[in-house]
């Protein structure tokens, strides 16, 4: 079974731009969670989508948004990029409530 | 949410068992203990999880104390490829994963 895939793997943007990252979960998994990892703050939970609905949300500003499609693929969007948004963005999928999360390789975003 | 406490770093000799401790003294009855590891700049890798019984799989063993206030992840024969940051997470059912700072394990030849 293929693992979680994320595209693109690397991205460079400038301040003020917006970015969209994509995550394809493991086949059959309906939940996708997004995380931000920075050297200063560590791994922080952004939000979770289950069956196209946001089920859980972390403490991030409204510039960070996401959505999930009917095939469980998910996208996250960051608008008006700031230098501090430079990070490794990880997504994880799980089959159902309380099951194990499996992570993708991440998208490394650099904001200049 | 229950919080976890892990030592920031540990060393282990190659071929020896690595025992990584985790304190979770405020854990609730429905919260699972999960262990993940992250090798530099890769996505976290699932290792093992448990509720109250000890668990073993092909990667590791998880020992949870009877009062569930602490646990130990055991890598029975550590190799250089086990060098990574290890995260202990306490997770309520149907809830998000809250990662702490983890333990940086260095396996030395």
């Amino acid at each position: 079974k293929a693992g979680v895939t994320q595209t693109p793997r690397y991205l460079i943007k400038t301040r003020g731009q917006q970015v969209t990252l994509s995550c394809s979960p493991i086949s059959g998994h309906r939940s996708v969670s997004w995380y931000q990892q920075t050297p200063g703050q560590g791994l922080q939970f952004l939000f979770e989508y289950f069956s196209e609905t946001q089920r859980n949300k972390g403490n991030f500003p409204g510039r960070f948004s996401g959505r999930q499609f009917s095939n469980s693929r998910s996208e996250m969007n960051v608008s008006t990029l700031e230098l501090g948004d430079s990070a490794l963005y990880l997504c994880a999928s799980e089959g159902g409530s309380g099951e194990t999360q499996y992570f993708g390789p991440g998208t490394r975003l650099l904001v200049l | 949410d229950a919080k976890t406490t892990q030592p920031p770093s540990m060393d282990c000799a190659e071929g020896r068992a690595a025992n990584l401790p985790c304190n979770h003294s405020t854990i609730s009855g429905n919260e699972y203990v999960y262990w993940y590891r992250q090798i530099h700049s890769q996505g976290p890798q699932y290792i093992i999880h448990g509720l109250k019984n000890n668990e073993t799989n092909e990667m590791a063993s998880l020992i949870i104390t009877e009062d569930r206030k602490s646990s130990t992840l055991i890598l029975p024969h550590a190799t250089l490829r086990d060098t990574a940051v290890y995260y202990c997470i306490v997770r309520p059912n149907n809830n998000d994963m809250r990662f702490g700072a983890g333990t940086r394990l260095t396996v030395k030849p």
Side-chain angles (χ1 to χ4, degrees):
Chain A
K1 203 182 245 190
V4 179
T5 58
Q6 292 187 245
T7 56
R9 293 293 312 278
Y10 303 93
L11 204 49
I12 299 175
K13 292 284 188 179
T14 56
R15 277 184 301 172
Q17 287 187 310
Q18 74 164 12
V19 67
T20 299
L21 311 181
S22 180
C23 173
S24 292
I26 292 171
S27 177
H29 283 191
R30 296 167 63 190
S31 167
V32 173
S33 296
W34 288 90
Y35 297 82
Q36 181 197 65
Q37 185 172 30
T38 60
Q41 299 297 319
L43 254 161
Q44 293 185 287
F45 171 74
L46 280 156
F47 31 67
E48 181 210 1
Y49 285 86
F50 181 82
S51 293
E52 302 179 65
T53 301
Q54 188 179 89
R55 184 163 70 173
N56 232 332
K57 188 176 188 304
N59 189 25
F60 277 81
R63 299 185 298 108
F64 293 82
S65 62
R67 59 178 176 168
Q68 187 179 34
F69 302 95
S70 59
N71 62 357
S72 294
R73 190 178 69 86
S74 177
E75 290 181 346
M76 69 161 282
N77 184 276
V78 188
S79 62
T80 319
L81 283 165
E82 300 176 359
L83 296 180
D85 297 332
S86 295
L88 180 66
Y89 290 89
L90 293 154
C91 83
S93 76
E94 65 183 276
S97 296
E99 294 189 19
T100 300
Q101 285 192 1
Y102 295 93
F103 284 80
T107 293
R108 185 163 295 281
L109 172 66
L110 177 61
V111 181
L112 301 176
Chain B
D1 290 343
K3 293 184 179 178
T4 61
T5 304
Q6 298 178 253
S9 65
M10 291 181 63
D11 291 342
C12 177
E14 189 178 19
R16 304 297 293 269
N19 297 285
L20 292 94
C22 179
N23 285 324
H24 31 79
S25 57
T26 59
I27 193 170
S28 300
N30 66 340
E31 291 177 323
Y32 286 76
V33 180
Y34 278 81
W35 284 83
Y36 283 78
R37 72 181 182 184
Q38 188 174 26
I39 296 168
H40 182 63
S41 292
Q42 298 179 22
Q45 178 189 23
Y46 166 76
I47 301 172
I48 199 167
H49 76 284
L51 184 62
K52 48 183 159 182
N53 297 322
N54 298 337
E55 302 287 344
T56 295
N57 62 20
E58 64 280 3
M59 287 183 69
S61 294
L62 173 60
I63 309 296
I64 303 175
T65 58
E66 196 167 335
D67 63 7
R68 303 211 322 124
K69 292 185 178 183
S70 66
S71 60
T72 301
L73 178 75
I74 302 172
L75 308 177
H77 305 287
T79 71
L80 298 179
R81 286 177 295 181
D82 292 321
T83 292
V85 178
Y86 287 77
Y87 296 99
C88 167
I89 301 152
V90 171
R91 182 191 188 195
N93 206 22
N94 195 31
N95 213 329
D96 55 274
M97 308 271 281
R98 304 282 171 151
F99 286 77
T103 295
R104 182 172 298 277
L105 175 69
T106 302
V107 180
K108 298 185 173 181

